[in-house]
Amino acid sequence: MSDTIFDKIIRREIPADIVYEDNDVLAFRDIHPQAPVHVLFIPKKSFATLNDVGEADAPLLGKLLLAAAAYAKREGFAEAGYRCVINCNKGGGQTVYHLHVHLLAGKQMPERMA
Ligand code: DGP
């Protein structure tokens, strides 16, 4: 498993604007925000891509999404709406190979994804 910039953020070796943390999940603001709210939810356990998550770690995927939804509720934009995205591999637009969920909010998202 290669060490990524997100592993360095988990270990506090480089700074990030962390907005949530628990035993399994870390969330911080994206350095290149695509929306007024753009937060990345990552598992502390390293998976390069969504393809690398096995059945045993299915609950961790649930935790990532639930952490994003809880953040949206806490911040008061859950009812207005938001988008969660996972990019997988080059064709999916992934650039950092540590699994992450993008949470985007604060503007109207286009109905078409691409
Ligand atoms: P993806 O393209 O799905 O792999 O998204 C990677 C995101 O990570 C991209 O939106 C920019 C963000 N990012 C890259 N490097 C850093 C960093 O050092 N700090 C923070 N906060 N975000 C980063």
Side-chain angles (χ1 to χ4, degrees):
M1 176 61 59
S2 63
D3 202 35
T4 70
I5 197 96
F6 290 176
D7 294 288
K8 291 182 171 63
I9 289 173
I10 291 168
R11 295 196 301 265
R12 306 307 204 264
E13 289 170 10
I14 63 164
D17 187 356
I18 292 169
V19 299
Y20 175 75
E21 180 169 23
D22 64 28
N23 286 340
D24 301 309
V25 176
L26 187 70
F28 51 90
R29 293 188 199 283
D30 194 293
I31 206 166
H32 300 306
Q34 305 294 311
V37 177
H38 189 170
V39 175
L40 302 172
F41 288 78
I42 71 171
K44 290 183 176 175
K45 183 174 177 180
S46 288
F47 306 93
T49 79
L50 183 57
N51 292 338
D52 301 304
V53 182
E55 197 70 33
D57 285 306
L60 190 49
L61 289 179
K63 283 185 180 177
L64 276 184
L65 292 174
L66 289 175
Y71 179 79
K73 289 173 191 166
R74 267 198 316 278
E75 294 296 310
F77 59 80
E79 289 306 316
Y82 57 93
R83 174 170 288 174
C84 289
V85 175
I86 297 175
N87 297 326
C88 184
N89 275 334
K90 190 165 184 287
Q94 186 172 5
T95 58
V96 178
Y97 283 79
H98 181 119
L99 174 68
H100 51 281
V101 175
H102 295 256
L103 169 63
L104 299 146
K107 70 174 188 183
Q108 179 61 50
M109 299 297 155
E111 290 179 12
R112 290 178 181 273
M113 290 289 292

